[in-house]
Short mmCIF file of all heavy atoms in Angstrom, two decimals:
data_model
loop_
_atom_site.label_atom_id
_atom_site.label_comp_id
_atom_site.label_asym_id
_atom_site.label_seq_id
_atom_site.Cartn_x
_atom_site.Cartn_y
_atom_site.Cartn_z
N MET A 1 -64.48 -42.83 -2.66
CA MET A 1 -65.20 -44.10 -2.78
C MET A 1 -66.21 -43.99 -3.93
O MET A 1 -66.95 -43.03 -4.04
CB MET A 1 -65.92 -44.43 -1.46
CG MET A 1 -66.73 -45.70 -1.54
SD MET A 1 -67.80 -46.01 -0.11
CE MET A 1 -66.59 -46.29 1.15
N ALA A 2 -66.24 -44.99 -4.76
CA ALA A 2 -67.15 -45.00 -5.92
C ALA A 2 -68.58 -45.30 -5.49
O ALA A 2 -68.81 -46.05 -4.54
CB ALA A 2 -66.69 -46.04 -6.92
N THR A 3 -69.52 -44.68 -6.17
CA THR A 3 -70.93 -44.97 -5.93
C THR A 3 -71.30 -46.22 -6.71
O THR A 3 -70.90 -46.40 -7.85
CB THR A 3 -71.79 -43.79 -6.41
OG1 THR A 3 -71.37 -42.62 -5.72
CG2 THR A 3 -73.25 -44.05 -6.14
N THR A 4 -72.06 -47.11 -6.08
CA THR A 4 -72.41 -48.39 -6.71
C THR A 4 -73.93 -48.55 -6.72
O THR A 4 -74.66 -47.74 -6.14
CB THR A 4 -71.81 -49.56 -5.93
OG1 THR A 4 -72.46 -49.63 -4.65
CG2 THR A 4 -70.31 -49.39 -5.74
N LEU A 5 -74.38 -49.60 -7.37
CA LEU A 5 -75.81 -49.90 -7.36
C LEU A 5 -76.30 -50.20 -5.96
O LEU A 5 -77.46 -49.98 -5.64
CB LEU A 5 -76.11 -51.07 -8.29
CG LEU A 5 -76.09 -50.74 -9.78
CD1 LEU A 5 -76.36 -52.00 -10.61
CD2 LEU A 5 -77.10 -49.67 -10.12
N ASP A 6 -75.42 -50.70 -5.08
CA ASP A 6 -75.82 -50.92 -3.70
C ASP A 6 -76.21 -49.61 -3.03
O ASP A 6 -77.13 -49.56 -2.22
CB ASP A 6 -74.69 -51.60 -2.91
CG ASP A 6 -74.56 -53.06 -3.26
OD1 ASP A 6 -75.55 -53.66 -3.72
OD2 ASP A 6 -73.45 -53.61 -3.08
N ASP A 7 -75.53 -48.52 -3.37
CA ASP A 7 -75.89 -47.21 -2.82
C ASP A 7 -77.27 -46.79 -3.30
O ASP A 7 -78.04 -46.18 -2.57
CB ASP A 7 -74.86 -46.16 -3.24
CG ASP A 7 -73.49 -46.45 -2.67
OD1 ASP A 7 -73.41 -46.87 -1.50
OD2 ASP A 7 -72.50 -46.29 -3.41
N LEU A 8 -77.60 -47.11 -4.54
CA LEU A 8 -78.91 -46.80 -5.09
C LEU A 8 -80.00 -47.58 -4.35
O LEU A 8 -81.06 -47.05 -4.06
CB LEU A 8 -78.94 -47.13 -6.58
CG LEU A 8 -80.15 -46.66 -7.38
CD1 LEU A 8 -80.30 -45.15 -7.30
CD2 LEU A 8 -80.02 -47.10 -8.82
N ARG A 9 -79.72 -48.82 -4.00
CA ARG A 9 -80.71 -49.61 -3.23
C ARG A 9 -80.98 -48.93 -1.90
O ARG A 9 -82.11 -48.89 -1.43
CB ARG A 9 -80.19 -51.03 -3.01
CG ARG A 9 -80.26 -51.88 -4.23
CD ARG A 9 -79.89 -53.34 -3.93
NE ARG A 9 -79.59 -54.03 -5.16
CZ ARG A 9 -78.36 -54.30 -5.59
NH1 ARG A 9 -77.32 -54.00 -4.86
NH2 ARG A 9 -78.17 -54.90 -6.75
N GLY A 10 -79.95 -48.39 -1.29
CA GLY A 10 -80.11 -47.69 -0.02
C GLY A 10 -81.01 -46.47 -0.17
O GLY A 10 -81.80 -46.16 0.71
N LEU A 11 -80.92 -45.78 -1.31
CA LEU A 11 -81.75 -44.61 -1.55
C LEU A 11 -83.22 -44.95 -1.47
O LEU A 11 -84.00 -44.25 -0.85
CB LEU A 11 -81.42 -44.01 -2.92
CG LEU A 11 -82.35 -42.91 -3.41
CD1 LEU A 11 -82.19 -41.67 -2.54
CD2 LEU A 11 -82.07 -42.59 -4.86
N PHE A 12 -83.61 -46.05 -2.09
CA PHE A 12 -85.02 -46.39 -2.14
C PHE A 12 -85.52 -47.02 -0.85
O PHE A 12 -86.70 -47.26 -0.71
CB PHE A 12 -85.32 -47.27 -3.34
CG PHE A 12 -85.21 -46.50 -4.61
CD1 PHE A 12 -84.13 -46.65 -5.45
CD2 PHE A 12 -86.18 -45.57 -4.95
CE1 PHE A 12 -84.01 -45.91 -6.61
CE2 PHE A 12 -86.07 -44.82 -6.10
CZ PHE A 12 -84.99 -45.00 -6.94
N ALA A 13 -84.65 -47.26 0.10
CA ALA A 13 -85.06 -47.76 1.42
C ALA A 13 -85.30 -46.60 2.38
O ALA A 13 -85.65 -46.82 3.52
CB ALA A 13 -84.01 -48.70 1.98
N LEU A 14 -85.12 -45.37 1.92
CA LEU A 14 -85.25 -44.20 2.79
C LEU A 14 -86.72 -43.83 3.01
O LEU A 14 -87.57 -44.05 2.17
CB LEU A 14 -84.53 -43.01 2.18
CG LEU A 14 -83.02 -43.12 2.08
CD1 LEU A 14 -82.46 -41.93 1.32
CD2 LEU A 14 -82.41 -43.20 3.46
N ASP A 15 -86.95 -43.23 4.15
CA ASP A 15 -88.26 -42.68 4.46
C ASP A 15 -88.44 -41.38 3.68
O ASP A 15 -87.61 -40.47 3.79
CB ASP A 15 -88.34 -42.43 5.97
CG ASP A 15 -89.68 -41.90 6.40
OD1 ASP A 15 -90.58 -41.74 5.55
OD2 ASP A 15 -89.84 -41.65 7.61
N LEU A 16 -89.52 -41.28 2.91
CA LEU A 16 -89.72 -40.12 2.05
C LEU A 16 -90.63 -39.06 2.68
O LEU A 16 -91.00 -38.10 2.01
CB LEU A 16 -90.32 -40.56 0.71
CG LEU A 16 -89.40 -41.43 -0.15
CD1 LEU A 16 -90.13 -41.86 -1.41
CD2 LEU A 16 -88.12 -40.69 -0.50
N THR A 17 -90.97 -39.21 3.97
CA THR A 17 -91.91 -38.28 4.57
C THR A 17 -91.38 -36.85 4.61
O THR A 17 -92.17 -35.90 4.59
CB THR A 17 -92.31 -38.71 5.99
OG1 THR A 17 -91.14 -38.88 6.77
CG2 THR A 17 -93.13 -39.98 5.97
N ASP A 18 -90.07 -36.67 4.65
CA ASP A 18 -89.52 -35.31 4.66
C ASP A 18 -88.83 -34.97 3.33
O ASP A 18 -88.08 -34.00 3.25
CB ASP A 18 -88.55 -35.12 5.83
CG ASP A 18 -87.25 -35.89 5.65
OD1 ASP A 18 -87.23 -36.84 4.84
OD2 ASP A 18 -86.26 -35.55 6.30
N ALA A 19 -89.12 -35.76 2.31
CA ALA A 19 -88.49 -35.53 1.00
C ALA A 19 -88.93 -34.19 0.42
O ALA A 19 -90.07 -33.75 0.61
CB ALA A 19 -88.87 -36.65 0.04
N VAL A 20 -88.02 -33.54 -0.28
CA VAL A 20 -88.31 -32.29 -0.98
C VAL A 20 -88.05 -32.52 -2.46
O VAL A 20 -86.99 -33.02 -2.84
CB VAL A 20 -87.43 -31.14 -0.45
CG1 VAL A 20 -87.66 -29.87 -1.26
CG2 VAL A 20 -87.72 -30.88 1.02
N LEU A 21 -89.04 -32.17 -3.29
CA LEU A 21 -88.90 -32.30 -4.73
C LEU A 21 -88.78 -30.91 -5.35
O LEU A 21 -89.50 -30.00 -4.98
CB LEU A 21 -90.13 -32.99 -5.34
CG LEU A 21 -90.15 -34.51 -5.36
CD1 LEU A 21 -90.29 -35.05 -3.96
CD2 LEU A 21 -91.26 -35.01 -6.24
N THR A 22 -87.85 -30.80 -6.29
CA THR A 22 -87.75 -29.59 -7.09
C THR A 22 -88.38 -29.88 -8.44
O THR A 22 -87.96 -30.79 -9.16
CB THR A 22 -86.28 -29.15 -7.26
OG1 THR A 22 -85.72 -28.93 -5.97
CG2 THR A 22 -86.19 -27.88 -8.08
N CYS A 23 -89.40 -29.11 -8.77
CA CYS A 23 -90.17 -29.31 -9.99
C CYS A 23 -89.32 -29.02 -11.23
O CYS A 23 -88.65 -27.98 -11.29
CB CYS A 23 -91.40 -28.40 -9.96
SG CYS A 23 -92.39 -28.45 -11.46
N GLY A 24 -89.37 -29.93 -12.20
CA GLY A 24 -88.65 -29.71 -13.44
C GLY A 24 -89.30 -28.66 -14.32
O GLY A 24 -88.66 -28.12 -15.22
N GLY A 25 -90.56 -28.34 -14.05
CA GLY A 25 -91.27 -27.36 -14.86
C GLY A 25 -91.04 -25.93 -14.38
O GLY A 25 -90.56 -25.09 -15.13
N CYS A 26 -91.35 -25.68 -13.11
CA CYS A 26 -91.30 -24.29 -12.61
C CYS A 26 -90.14 -24.04 -11.65
O CYS A 26 -89.86 -22.90 -11.30
CB CYS A 26 -92.61 -23.92 -11.93
SG CYS A 26 -92.90 -24.72 -10.34
N GLY A 27 -89.47 -25.11 -11.18
CA GLY A 27 -88.32 -24.94 -10.30
C GLY A 27 -88.66 -24.79 -8.83
O GLY A 27 -87.77 -24.63 -8.01
N ALA A 28 -89.95 -24.87 -8.48
CA ALA A 28 -90.34 -24.75 -7.07
C ALA A 28 -89.85 -25.96 -6.29
O ALA A 28 -89.95 -27.09 -6.76
CB ALA A 28 -91.86 -24.63 -6.95
N SER A 29 -89.31 -25.73 -5.09
CA SER A 29 -88.90 -26.81 -4.19
C SER A 29 -89.92 -26.92 -3.08
O SER A 29 -90.13 -25.95 -2.34
CB SER A 29 -87.51 -26.53 -3.62
OG SER A 29 -86.54 -26.59 -4.63
N THR A 30 -90.56 -28.09 -2.98
CA THR A 30 -91.67 -28.27 -2.06
C THR A 30 -91.58 -29.65 -1.41
O THR A 30 -91.19 -30.61 -2.06
CB THR A 30 -93.01 -28.17 -2.83
OG1 THR A 30 -93.02 -27.00 -3.63
CG2 THR A 30 -94.19 -28.14 -1.88
N GLU A 31 -91.96 -29.73 -0.13
CA GLU A 31 -92.00 -31.03 0.53
C GLU A 31 -92.97 -31.95 -0.19
O GLU A 31 -94.05 -31.51 -0.62
CB GLU A 31 -92.42 -30.87 1.99
CG GLU A 31 -91.37 -30.17 2.84
CD GLU A 31 -91.75 -30.13 4.31
OE1 GLU A 31 -92.94 -30.27 4.64
OE2 GLU A 31 -90.83 -29.95 5.13
N LEU A 32 -92.62 -33.21 -0.29
CA LEU A 32 -93.44 -34.18 -1.00
C LEU A 32 -94.86 -34.21 -0.45
O LEU A 32 -95.83 -34.27 -1.20
CB LEU A 32 -92.80 -35.57 -0.91
CG LEU A 32 -93.55 -36.72 -1.57
CD1 LEU A 32 -93.77 -36.45 -3.05
CD2 LEU A 32 -92.81 -38.03 -1.36
N ARG A 33 -94.99 -34.13 0.88
CA ARG A 33 -96.33 -34.22 1.49
C ARG A 33 -97.22 -33.02 1.15
O ARG A 33 -98.42 -33.07 1.38
CB ARG A 33 -96.22 -34.40 3.00
CG ARG A 33 -95.53 -33.24 3.70
CD ARG A 33 -95.49 -33.47 5.21
NE ARG A 33 -94.61 -32.49 5.82
CZ ARG A 33 -93.54 -32.80 6.54
NH1 ARG A 33 -93.24 -34.05 6.77
NH2 ARG A 33 -92.79 -31.86 7.05
N ALA A 34 -96.64 -31.94 0.63
CA ALA A 34 -97.42 -30.75 0.27
C ALA A 34 -97.86 -30.77 -1.19
O ALA A 34 -98.55 -29.85 -1.64
CB ALA A 34 -96.61 -29.50 0.55
N HIS A 35 -97.49 -31.83 -1.91
CA HIS A 35 -97.88 -31.93 -3.32
C HIS A 35 -99.32 -32.43 -3.44
O HIS A 35 -99.89 -32.97 -2.50
CB HIS A 35 -96.95 -32.89 -4.05
CG HIS A 35 -95.61 -32.28 -4.38
ND1 HIS A 35 -94.68 -31.98 -3.43
CD2 HIS A 35 -95.07 -31.93 -5.57
CE1 HIS A 35 -93.60 -31.46 -4.01
NE2 HIS A 35 -93.82 -31.41 -5.31
N ASP A 36 -99.88 -32.26 -4.62
CA ASP A 36 -101.21 -32.78 -4.91
C ASP A 36 -101.06 -34.24 -5.36
O ASP A 36 -100.35 -34.52 -6.32
CB ASP A 36 -101.86 -31.96 -6.02
CG ASP A 36 -102.03 -30.49 -5.61
OD1 ASP A 36 -102.35 -30.25 -4.43
OD2 ASP A 36 -101.83 -29.62 -6.47
N LEU A 37 -101.73 -35.16 -4.63
CA LEU A 37 -101.61 -36.59 -4.89
C LEU A 37 -102.88 -37.11 -5.55
O LEU A 37 -103.99 -36.79 -5.12
CB LEU A 37 -101.38 -37.35 -3.59
CG LEU A 37 -100.19 -36.91 -2.73
CD1 LEU A 37 -100.11 -37.77 -1.47
CD2 LEU A 37 -98.89 -37.01 -3.51
N TYR A 38 -102.69 -37.93 -6.57
CA TYR A 38 -103.80 -38.59 -7.26
C TYR A 38 -103.51 -40.09 -7.23
O TYR A 38 -102.81 -40.60 -8.11
CB TYR A 38 -103.93 -38.06 -8.70
CG TYR A 38 -104.18 -36.57 -8.73
CD1 TYR A 38 -103.12 -35.68 -8.74
CD2 TYR A 38 -105.47 -36.08 -8.69
CE1 TYR A 38 -103.34 -34.31 -8.74
CE2 TYR A 38 -105.71 -34.71 -8.69
CZ TYR A 38 -104.64 -33.84 -8.72
OH TYR A 38 -104.86 -32.48 -8.71
N PRO A 39 -104.03 -40.79 -6.21
CA PRO A 39 -103.63 -42.19 -5.99
C PRO A 39 -104.18 -43.19 -7.00
O PRO A 39 -103.65 -44.29 -7.11
CB PRO A 39 -104.16 -42.49 -4.58
CG PRO A 39 -105.26 -41.52 -4.37
CD PRO A 39 -104.91 -40.29 -5.15
N ASP A 40 -105.20 -42.85 -7.74
CA ASP A 40 -105.81 -43.82 -8.65
C ASP A 40 -105.87 -43.29 -10.07
O ASP A 40 -106.91 -43.31 -10.72
CB ASP A 40 -107.22 -44.17 -8.17
CG ASP A 40 -107.20 -44.82 -6.81
OD1 ASP A 40 -106.36 -45.72 -6.60
OD2 ASP A 40 -108.00 -44.43 -5.96
N ALA A 41 -104.77 -42.84 -10.61
CA ALA A 41 -104.81 -42.13 -11.89
C ALA A 41 -104.03 -42.76 -13.05
O ALA A 41 -103.50 -42.01 -13.84
CB ALA A 41 -104.33 -40.69 -11.65
N PRO A 42 -103.99 -44.05 -13.33
CA PRO A 42 -104.37 -45.22 -12.53
C PRO A 42 -103.28 -45.60 -11.53
O PRO A 42 -103.55 -46.34 -10.60
CB PRO A 42 -104.55 -46.32 -13.58
CG PRO A 42 -103.61 -45.95 -14.66
CD PRO A 42 -103.55 -44.44 -14.66
N ALA A 43 -102.08 -45.09 -11.71
CA ALA A 43 -101.04 -45.28 -10.70
C ALA A 43 -101.05 -44.05 -9.80
O ALA A 43 -101.87 -43.15 -9.98
CB ALA A 43 -99.68 -45.43 -11.37
N LEU A 44 -100.11 -43.99 -8.86
CA LEU A 44 -99.97 -42.79 -8.04
C LEU A 44 -99.35 -41.69 -8.90
O LEU A 44 -98.28 -41.87 -9.49
CB LEU A 44 -99.08 -43.06 -6.83
CG LEU A 44 -98.69 -41.83 -6.01
CD1 LEU A 44 -99.91 -41.20 -5.34
CD2 LEU A 44 -97.65 -42.19 -4.98
N VAL A 45 -100.02 -40.56 -8.99
CA VAL A 45 -99.51 -39.41 -9.72
C VAL A 45 -99.38 -38.25 -8.74
O VAL A 45 -100.30 -37.96 -7.98
CB VAL A 45 -100.44 -39.01 -10.89
CG1 VAL A 45 -100.00 -37.70 -11.52
CG2 VAL A 45 -100.48 -40.12 -11.94
N VAL A 46 -98.22 -37.61 -8.74
CA VAL A 46 -97.94 -36.48 -7.85
C VAL A 46 -97.72 -35.25 -8.72
O VAL A 46 -96.89 -35.27 -9.63
CB VAL A 46 -96.70 -36.76 -6.98
CG1 VAL A 46 -96.39 -35.58 -6.08
CG2 VAL A 46 -96.90 -38.03 -6.16
N ARG A 47 -98.47 -34.19 -8.42
CA ARG A 47 -98.38 -32.95 -9.20
C ARG A 47 -97.81 -31.83 -8.34
O ARG A 47 -98.08 -31.73 -7.15
CB ARG A 47 -99.76 -32.55 -9.73
CG ARG A 47 -100.26 -33.46 -10.82
CD ARG A 47 -101.56 -32.93 -11.43
NE ARG A 47 -101.98 -33.73 -12.57
CZ ARG A 47 -101.59 -33.51 -13.82
NH1 ARG A 47 -100.81 -32.49 -14.09
NH2 ARG A 47 -101.99 -34.30 -14.80
N CYS A 48 -97.06 -30.97 -8.99
CA CYS A 48 -96.47 -29.79 -8.34
C CYS A 48 -97.59 -28.87 -7.85
O CYS A 48 -98.50 -28.53 -8.62
CB CYS A 48 -95.58 -29.06 -9.35
SG CYS A 48 -94.94 -27.49 -8.76
N PRO A 49 -97.54 -28.42 -6.58
CA PRO A 49 -98.58 -27.52 -6.08
C PRO A 49 -98.47 -26.11 -6.67
O PRO A 49 -99.42 -25.34 -6.58
CB PRO A 49 -98.34 -27.51 -4.57
CG PRO A 49 -96.90 -27.85 -4.41
CD PRO A 49 -96.56 -28.77 -5.55
N SER A 50 -97.36 -25.77 -7.29
CA SER A 50 -97.18 -24.44 -7.86
C SER A 50 -97.68 -24.35 -9.29
O SER A 50 -98.36 -23.39 -9.66
CB SER A 50 -95.71 -24.03 -7.81
OG SER A 50 -95.27 -23.92 -6.48
N CYS A 51 -97.35 -25.34 -10.13
CA CYS A 51 -97.68 -25.24 -11.56
C CYS A 51 -98.51 -26.42 -12.06
O CYS A 51 -98.86 -26.45 -13.23
CB CYS A 51 -96.41 -25.11 -12.38
SG CYS A 51 -95.45 -26.64 -12.52
N THR A 52 -98.81 -27.41 -11.21
CA THR A 52 -99.60 -28.62 -11.48
C THR A 52 -98.93 -29.60 -12.44
O THR A 52 -99.55 -30.56 -12.87
CB THR A 52 -101.03 -28.30 -12.00
OG1 THR A 52 -100.96 -27.81 -13.33
CG2 THR A 52 -101.76 -27.33 -11.09
N ALA A 53 -97.66 -29.41 -12.78
CA ALA A 53 -96.96 -30.37 -13.62
C ALA A 53 -96.82 -31.70 -12.88
O ALA A 53 -96.69 -31.72 -11.65
CB ALA A 53 -95.58 -29.84 -14.00
N VAL A 54 -96.85 -32.81 -13.61
CA VAL A 54 -96.61 -34.12 -13.01
C VAL A 54 -95.12 -34.22 -12.67
O VAL A 54 -94.27 -34.06 -13.55
CB VAL A 54 -97.02 -35.25 -13.96
CG1 VAL A 54 -96.61 -36.61 -13.37
CG2 VAL A 54 -98.51 -35.21 -14.24
N VAL A 55 -94.81 -34.44 -11.40
CA VAL A 55 -93.42 -34.55 -10.97
C VAL A 55 -93.01 -35.98 -10.65
O VAL A 55 -91.83 -36.31 -10.63
CB VAL A 55 -93.12 -33.64 -9.75
CG1 VAL A 55 -93.23 -32.17 -10.14
CG2 VAL A 55 -94.03 -33.96 -8.59
N LEU A 56 -94.01 -36.85 -10.38
CA LEU A 56 -93.69 -38.22 -10.00
C LEU A 56 -94.87 -39.12 -10.37
O LEU A 56 -96.02 -38.75 -10.17
CB LEU A 56 -93.43 -38.30 -8.49
CG LEU A 56 -92.98 -39.61 -7.87
CD1 LEU A 56 -92.17 -39.34 -6.61
CD2 LEU A 56 -94.14 -40.53 -7.53
N ARG A 57 -94.55 -40.27 -10.92
CA ARG A 57 -95.55 -41.31 -11.16
C ARG A 57 -94.98 -42.61 -10.62
O ARG A 57 -93.81 -42.92 -10.84
CB ARG A 57 -95.88 -41.46 -12.65
CG ARG A 57 -96.67 -40.29 -13.18
CD ARG A 57 -97.09 -40.50 -14.59
NE ARG A 57 -95.91 -40.45 -15.45
CZ ARG A 57 -95.93 -40.57 -16.75
NH1 ARG A 57 -97.06 -40.78 -17.37
NH2 ARG A 57 -94.83 -40.51 -17.46
N PHE A 58 -95.83 -43.37 -9.92
CA PHE A 58 -95.38 -44.62 -9.31
C PHE A 58 -96.48 -45.65 -9.46
O PHE A 58 -97.64 -45.39 -9.14
CB PHE A 58 -95.07 -44.39 -7.82
CG PHE A 58 -94.71 -45.65 -7.09
CD1 PHE A 58 -93.44 -46.18 -7.20
CD2 PHE A 58 -95.64 -46.30 -6.31
CE1 PHE A 58 -93.09 -47.34 -6.53
CE2 PHE A 58 -95.31 -47.46 -5.63
CZ PHE A 58 -94.03 -47.99 -5.74
N GLY A 59 -96.10 -46.83 -9.94
CA GLY A 59 -97.09 -47.88 -10.09
C GLY A 59 -96.45 -49.25 -10.05
O GLY A 59 -95.23 -49.39 -10.20
N THR A 60 -97.29 -50.24 -9.84
CA THR A 60 -96.84 -51.62 -9.85
C THR A 60 -97.74 -52.42 -10.76
O THR A 60 -98.91 -52.08 -10.96
CB THR A 60 -96.87 -52.23 -8.44
OG1 THR A 60 -98.20 -52.15 -7.94
CG2 THR A 60 -95.93 -51.50 -7.49
N GLY A 61 -97.20 -53.47 -11.32
CA GLY A 61 -97.98 -54.35 -12.17
C GLY A 61 -97.08 -55.30 -12.91
O GLY A 61 -95.94 -54.96 -13.23
N GLY A 62 -97.58 -56.50 -13.14
CA GLY A 62 -96.80 -57.49 -13.86
C GLY A 62 -95.52 -57.87 -13.16
O GLY A 62 -94.54 -58.23 -13.81
N GLY A 63 -95.53 -57.77 -11.83
CA GLY A 63 -94.33 -58.12 -11.07
C GLY A 63 -93.23 -57.08 -11.13
O GLY A 63 -92.11 -57.35 -10.71
N ARG A 64 -93.55 -55.87 -11.63
CA ARG A 64 -92.55 -54.81 -11.75
C ARG A 64 -93.01 -53.57 -10.98
O ARG A 64 -94.20 -53.31 -10.82
CB ARG A 64 -92.33 -54.41 -13.21
CG ARG A 64 -92.00 -55.55 -14.14
CD ARG A 64 -90.63 -56.11 -13.94
NE ARG A 64 -89.61 -55.17 -14.37
CZ ARG A 64 -88.31 -55.42 -14.31
NH1 ARG A 64 -87.90 -56.57 -13.82
NH2 ARG A 64 -87.44 -54.54 -14.72
N VAL A 65 -92.06 -52.78 -10.51
CA VAL A 65 -92.33 -51.49 -9.89
C VAL A 65 -91.81 -50.42 -10.84
O VAL A 65 -90.69 -50.53 -11.36
CB VAL A 65 -91.60 -51.38 -8.52
CG1 VAL A 65 -91.79 -49.99 -7.94
CG2 VAL A 65 -92.12 -52.44 -7.57
N ARG A 66 -92.63 -49.40 -11.10
CA ARG A 66 -92.26 -48.34 -12.02
C ARG A 66 -92.25 -46.99 -11.30
O ARG A 66 -93.23 -46.63 -10.66
CB ARG A 66 -93.22 -48.30 -13.21
CG ARG A 66 -93.11 -49.52 -14.09
CD ARG A 66 -94.21 -49.55 -15.15
NE ARG A 66 -94.08 -50.70 -16.02
CZ ARG A 66 -94.49 -51.93 -15.70
NH1 ARG A 66 -95.08 -52.14 -14.55
NH2 ARG A 66 -94.31 -52.92 -16.54
N LEU A 67 -91.17 -46.28 -11.43
CA LEU A 67 -91.03 -44.96 -10.83
C LEU A 67 -90.57 -43.99 -11.91
O LEU A 67 -89.50 -44.16 -12.49
CB LEU A 67 -90.01 -45.00 -9.68
CG LEU A 67 -89.66 -43.65 -9.04
CD1 LEU A 67 -90.90 -43.03 -8.38
CD2 LEU A 67 -88.56 -43.84 -8.01
N ASP A 68 -91.39 -43.00 -12.20
CA ASP A 68 -91.07 -41.98 -13.21
C ASP A 68 -90.84 -40.65 -12.50
O ASP A 68 -91.76 -40.07 -11.94
CB ASP A 68 -92.22 -41.87 -14.20
CG ASP A 68 -92.01 -40.78 -15.24
OD1 ASP A 68 -90.95 -40.11 -15.22
OD2 ASP A 68 -92.91 -40.58 -16.07
N LEU A 69 -89.61 -40.20 -12.50
CA LEU A 69 -89.25 -38.92 -11.89
C LEU A 69 -88.85 -37.91 -12.96
O LEU A 69 -88.14 -36.95 -12.68
CB LEU A 69 -88.09 -39.12 -10.90
CG LEU A 69 -88.44 -39.81 -9.59
CD1 LEU A 69 -87.17 -40.21 -8.84
CD2 LEU A 69 -89.29 -38.91 -8.72
N SER A 70 -89.29 -38.12 -14.20
CA SER A 70 -88.86 -37.25 -15.29
C SER A 70 -89.32 -35.80 -15.10
O SER A 70 -88.72 -34.89 -15.66
CB SER A 70 -89.31 -37.79 -16.64
OG SER A 70 -90.72 -37.89 -16.69
N GLY A 71 -90.37 -35.57 -14.28
CA GLY A 71 -90.82 -34.22 -14.03
C GLY A 71 -90.17 -33.57 -12.83
O GLY A 71 -90.49 -32.45 -12.46
N THR A 72 -89.23 -34.30 -12.20
CA THR A 72 -88.54 -33.79 -11.02
C THR A 72 -87.10 -33.43 -11.37
O THR A 72 -86.38 -34.24 -11.92
CB THR A 72 -88.54 -34.84 -9.89
OG1 THR A 72 -89.89 -35.11 -9.51
CG2 THR A 72 -87.77 -34.36 -8.68
N ARG A 73 -86.71 -32.22 -11.05
CA ARG A 73 -85.32 -31.80 -11.28
C ARG A 73 -84.41 -32.37 -10.21
O ARG A 73 -83.27 -32.75 -10.49
CB ARG A 73 -85.25 -30.28 -11.29
CG ARG A 73 -83.89 -29.74 -11.65
CD ARG A 73 -83.87 -28.23 -11.68
NE ARG A 73 -84.90 -27.70 -12.57
CZ ARG A 73 -85.29 -26.43 -12.58
NH1 ARG A 73 -84.76 -25.56 -11.74
NH2 ARG A 73 -86.23 -26.03 -13.39
N LEU A 74 -84.91 -32.41 -8.96
CA LEU A 74 -84.07 -32.86 -7.85
C LEU A 74 -84.97 -33.42 -6.74
O LEU A 74 -86.01 -32.83 -6.43
CB LEU A 74 -83.25 -31.68 -7.29
CG LEU A 74 -82.35 -31.96 -6.10
CD1 LEU A 74 -81.21 -32.90 -6.51
CD2 LEU A 74 -81.78 -30.66 -5.56
N LEU A 75 -84.55 -34.54 -6.17
CA LEU A 75 -85.23 -35.14 -5.02
C LEU A 75 -84.22 -35.16 -3.88
O LEU A 75 -83.13 -35.72 -4.01
CB LEU A 75 -85.69 -36.57 -5.35
CG LEU A 75 -86.19 -37.43 -4.19
CD1 LEU A 75 -87.45 -36.85 -3.58
CD2 LEU A 75 -86.43 -38.85 -4.66
N THR A 76 -84.58 -34.55 -2.75
CA THR A 76 -83.69 -34.48 -1.60
C THR A 76 -84.34 -35.14 -0.40
O THR A 76 -85.50 -34.85 -0.10
CB THR A 76 -83.37 -33.01 -1.25
OG1 THR A 76 -82.89 -32.35 -2.41
CG2 THR A 76 -82.34 -32.91 -0.17
N VAL A 77 -83.59 -36.04 0.26
CA VAL A 77 -84.10 -36.70 1.47
C VAL A 77 -83.02 -36.66 2.54
O VAL A 77 -81.84 -36.48 2.24
CB VAL A 77 -84.50 -38.17 1.19
CG1 VAL A 77 -85.64 -38.25 0.20
CG2 VAL A 77 -83.32 -38.98 0.71
N THR A 78 -83.43 -36.82 3.78
CA THR A 78 -82.48 -36.88 4.89
C THR A 78 -81.80 -38.23 4.88
O THR A 78 -82.46 -39.27 4.79
CB THR A 78 -83.21 -36.67 6.22
OG1 THR A 78 -83.88 -35.40 6.18
CG2 THR A 78 -82.24 -36.70 7.40
N ALA A 79 -80.47 -38.25 4.97
CA ALA A 79 -79.72 -39.50 5.03
C ALA A 79 -80.04 -40.21 6.34
O ALA A 79 -80.22 -39.54 7.36
CB ALA A 79 -78.23 -39.22 4.91
N PRO A 80 -80.10 -41.56 6.33
CA PRO A 80 -80.45 -42.30 7.55
C PRO A 80 -79.53 -41.96 8.72
O PRO A 80 -79.98 -41.83 9.84
CB PRO A 80 -80.26 -43.76 7.14
CG PRO A 80 -80.40 -43.78 5.67
CD PRO A 80 -79.88 -42.44 5.20
N SER A 81 -78.25 -41.75 8.48
CA SER A 81 -77.32 -41.46 9.57
C SER A 81 -77.48 -40.05 10.13
O SER A 81 -77.05 -39.77 11.23
CB SER A 81 -75.88 -41.63 9.08
OG SER A 81 -75.63 -40.75 7.99
N ALA A 82 -78.16 -39.16 9.36
CA ALA A 82 -78.37 -37.80 9.83
C ALA A 82 -79.54 -37.70 10.80
O ALA A 82 -79.77 -36.68 11.41
CB ALA A 82 -78.61 -36.87 8.63
N GLY A 83 -80.29 -38.79 10.94
CA GLY A 83 -81.41 -38.82 11.89
C GLY A 83 -82.50 -37.99 11.40
O GLY A 83 -83.28 -37.34 11.92
ZN1 LIG B 1 -93.93 -26.78 -10.78
#
């Protein structure tokens, strides 16, 4: 079965509380909740707890949502059907 944009919409509807990010800088894999969060920098900025590299930036403005994962090598979350 081919992956579609509908599958991508499902990804962003997932609960990220157990998400694991692999840092693009140092390669450390760490739960998202264990990262260093900077909520007003001016958007949400998430830094790797091992090397302090920015792994995620998230912000809203002008009717748009922006998600920058360029510092993340891999984002892993539990599929909804896996419970
Ligand atoms: Zn790192």
Side-chain angles (χ1 to χ4, degrees):
M1 177 189 293
T3 302
T4 68
L5 285 178
D6 285 336
D7 296 320
L8 190 59
R9 286 187 197 102
L11 171 67
F12 289 105
L14 294 174
D15 182 1
L16 294 177
T17 54
D18 70 341
V20 176
L21 274 70
T22 301
C23 176
C26 72
S29 293
T30 310
E31 290 185 340
L32 178 58
R33 62 178 169 239
H35 283 69
D36 299 321
L37 305 179
Y38 300 88
D40 298 315
L44 171 66
V45 172
V46 179
R47 289 187 174 272
C48 173
S50 296
C51 73
T52 72
V54 174
V55 294
L56 185 153
R57 289 185 290 181
F58 175 79
T60 59
R64 306 289 290 180
V65 175
R66 293 173 178 80
L67 175 63
D68 177 2
L69 287 168
S70 60
T72 297
R73 185 179 305 165
L74 179 67
L75 169 65
T76 307
V77 297
T78 302
S81 59

